[in-house]
């Protein structure tokens, strides 16, 4: 009998060893963009990685140049004292492009119930003949002071002059719509907007393509950026707070384009002019309805007066707690319950791993029973 128990114990130990042997390592291989591996030491692998690193660096320098141009244009365009909304157009822009921009901006103000902004807003449309982009790019230039004008700069390539129109995935006013609707932000809110680079305040009124997407978000995937959504949906405060966090957390980095892993060599360039944010209308996803529109969701749920108090206060987290008397993560959790489908955020044991473990353990146990000696007392 003692020998039988020893065999069973040995079988269990062997099964556990097999399970731990099948467990993935702490540092799995990280696949680079388009299938490259950063530690690929072959000549072809090194060439591929250098190519994508250099191309990504070129994109970063180009974006930095566009941000610098937008800041320079914004500093040069002083809004007239008689009006809180002003337009500045390049001389070579066709009249129909100017009309389309002005019509779009005034329509967005009308959707907010405004004839004129409550805070100075400047819209600049600049011709960009040097760019190779097929369509316009938009920059939001936050005021250097909280009471300064909020500026929108459109970089328009000449190739788009003949068919210019704003994208259904974009709002021309963008983050400046908050300034237009609620006036100058408080010092805390102004600093939060700069620190988060408008990642949670891309618009006040959802673009047409985003507003039409009313389906609840599915997060049943291995995409790591879904972890905060799933965790907050399950009621975990730390994963709700990260959505409003001003720090550059792991989850905040994952909100960027998936090939940003190649931006490490131009980090300093990417960090220049944090109060100038470039928006690419085509780079949207189903997650952006929750992430980029987070401050808009807060404004909609609280209403004009309650959100206005927070906007003119110490930022969303402290301002919400003071105004509403409860932590902001509770509101974020309620939003996720309405927008995100429930999911299991447990240990991550897959069905295949569980079945394999049971199969191995069962086989060893059956083998033990077959080979154990029988005795009759």
């Amino acid at each position: 009998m003692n020998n039988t128990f020893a065999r069973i114990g040995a079988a269990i130990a062997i099964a556990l060893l097999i399970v731990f042997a099948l467990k993935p390592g702490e540092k799995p291989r990280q696949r680079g963009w388009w299938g490259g591996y950063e530690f690929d030491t072959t000549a072809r692998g090194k060439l591929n990685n250098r190519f994508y690193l250099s191309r990504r660096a070129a994109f970063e320098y180009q974006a930095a140049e566009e941000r610098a141009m937008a800041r320079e244009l914004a500093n040069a365009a002083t809004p007239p004292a008689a009006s809180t909304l002003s337009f500045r157009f390049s001389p070579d822009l066709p009249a129909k492009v100017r009309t389309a921009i002005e019509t779009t901006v005034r329509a967005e103000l009308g959707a907010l119930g405004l004839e004129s902004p409550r805070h100075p807003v400047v819209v600049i449309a600049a011709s960009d003949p040097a760019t190779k982009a097929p369509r316009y790019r938009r920059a939001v230039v936050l005021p250097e002071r909280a009471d300064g004008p909020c500026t929108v700069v459109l970089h328009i390539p000449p190739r788009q002059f003949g068919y210019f129109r704003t994208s259904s995935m974009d709002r021309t006013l963008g983050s400046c719509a908050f300034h237009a609707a609620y006036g100058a932000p408080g010092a805390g809110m102004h600093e939060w907007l700069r620190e988060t680079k408008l990642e949670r305040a891309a618009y006040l009124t959802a673009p047409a393509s985003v507003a039409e997407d009313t389906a609840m978000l599915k997060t049943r995937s291995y995409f790591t950026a879904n972890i905060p959504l799933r965790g907050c949906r399950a009621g975990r405060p730390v994963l709700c707070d990260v959505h409003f966090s001003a720090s550059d957390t792991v989850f905040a980095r994952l909100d960027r384009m998936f090939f940003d892993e190649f931006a490490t060599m131009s980090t300093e360039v990417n960090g220049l002019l944090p109060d100038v944010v470039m928006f690419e209308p085509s780079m949207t996803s189903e997650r952006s309805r929750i992430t980029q529109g987070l401050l808009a969701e807060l404004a909609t749920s609280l209403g004009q007066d309650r959100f206005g108090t927070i906007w003119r206060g110490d930022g969303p987290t402290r301002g919400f707690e003071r105004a509403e008397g409860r932590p902001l993560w509770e509101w974020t959790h309620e939003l996720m319950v309405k927008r995100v489908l429930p999911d299991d955020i447990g240990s991550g044991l897959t069905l295949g791993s569980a079945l394999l473990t049971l199969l191995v353990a069962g086989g060893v146990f059956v083998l033990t029973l077959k080979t154990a000696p029988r005795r009759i007392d």
Side-chain angles (χ1 to χ4, degrees):
M1 182 64 70
N2 293 334
N3 191 22
T4 301
F5 281 122
R7 289 173 180 269
I8 294 176
I12 295 174
I14 293 173
L16 290 175
L17 288 175
I18 294 175
V19 171
F20 281 104
L22 293 174
K23 180 182 177 181
E26 294 182 359
K27 295 182 179 180
R29 300 179 75 186
Q30 296 293 328
R31 184 179 295 273
W33 191 34
W34 292 107
Y37 290 103
E38 62 180 5
F39 50 83
D40 188 349
T41 57
T42 65
R44 182 180 179 85
K46 290 180 179 179
L47 182 62
N48 284 340
N49 289 334
R50 287 182 179 178
F51 170 75
Y52 291 118
L53 278 169
S54 61
R55 188 166 77 165
R56 185 57 185 158
F59 288 160
E60 292 293 344
Y61 281 107
Q62 179 184 355
E65 185 178 7
E66 288 180 333
R67 290 196 300 270
M69 183 191 305
R71 167 49 74 188
E72 183 177 357
L73 290 171
N75 290 341
T78 303
S83 174
T84 53
L85 175 63
S86 57
F87 296 89
R88 300 287 188 274
F89 299 113
S90 294
D92 57 341
L93 284 181
K96 61 181 179 180
V97 175
R98 304 183 187 192
T99 302
I101 294 173
E102 186 169 352
T103 301
T104 300
V105 170
R106 295 194 183 279
E108 291 182 10
L109 288 175
L112 297 173
L114 302 171
E115 293 185 2
S116 61
R118 295 189 174 97
H119 183 86
V121 173
V122 180
V123 179
I124 302 173
S127 173
D128 193 2
T131 184
K132 296 181 180 179
R135 61 190 306 178
Y136 73 93
R137 285 171 57 81
R138 179 174 57 86
V140 172
V141 184
L142 289 173
E144 293 182 336
R145 308 179 316 276
D147 58 347
C150 187
T151 307
V152 178
V153 179
L154 298 172
H155 301 272
I156 306 176
R159 70 184 66 183
Q160 201 184 2
F161 286 174
Y163 61 92
F164 178 84
R165 66 180 180 86
T166 57
S167 172
S168 63
M169 295 182 287
D170 194 23
R171 285 296 183 195
T172 305
L173 286 176
S175 309
C176 289
F178 288 95
H179 294 72
Y182 299 102
M189 178 64 78
H190 177 70
E191 189 61 26
W192 178 82
L193 291 171
R194 292 184 72 255
E195 290 179 350
T196 56
K197 297 181 180 179
L198 305 177
E199 291 176 347
R200 302 294 182 262
Y203 51 79
L204 178 53
T205 304
S209 61
V210 176
E212 292 172 356
D213 183 13
T214 58
M216 296 185 71
L217 178 64
K218 296 180 181 179
T219 59
R220 293 178 178 241
S221 70
Y222 294 103
F223 187 36
T224 314
N226 285 333
I227 291 178
L229 298 174
R230 289 154 51 182
C232 185
R233 174 65 168 76
R236 300 191 180 184
V238 66
L239 293 180
C240 291
D241 288 336
V242 76
H243 290 283
F244 282 96
S245 174
S247 61
D248 194 15
T249 63
V250 174
F251 301 126
R253 288 195 296 272
L254 286 168
D255 281 340
R256 303 173 191 155
M257 292 184 289
F258 63 92
F259 50 83
D260 253 15
E261 61 187 277
F262 293 97
T264 54
M265 66 181 297
S266 58
T267 302
E268 294 182 359
V269 175
N270 192 33
L272 294 174
L273 299 173
D275 53 352
V276 183
V277 181
M278 299 296 301
F279 287 92
E280 175 57 58
S282 62
M283 294 305 297
T284 58
S285 66
E286 60 178 352
R287 295 178 61 255
S288 64
R289 183 165 59 99
I290 299 176
T291 55
Q292 295 182 11
L294 197 60
L295 197 65
E297 291 278 3
L298 183 63
T300 301
S301 65
L302 296 181
Q304 180 85 18
D305 296 334
R306 291 163 64 191
F307 179 79
T309 301
I310 296 173
W311 173 259
R312 293 182 286 271
D314 297 330
T317 302
R318 291 192 300 270
F320 184 89
E321 291 179 358
R322 290 182 180 180
E324 299 297 314
R326 61 176 181 143
L328 181 58
W329 75 263
E330 292 184 358
W331 174 88
T332 310
H333 168 62
E334 294 169 359
L335 175 66
M336 298 303 170
V337 171
K338 293 188 296 183
R339 294 284 189 266
V340 180
L341 290 172
D343 196 10
D344 179 18
I345 58 170
S347 60
L349 181 65
T350 63
L351 179 60
S353 299
L355 292 178
L356 181 60
T357 301
L358 293 175
L359 180 62
V360 172
V364 174
F365 183 72
V366 171
L367 182 63
T368 301
L369 292 180
K370 293 290 187 181
T371 58
R374 267 70 169 176
R375 53 182 295 183
I376 301 175
D377 295 331

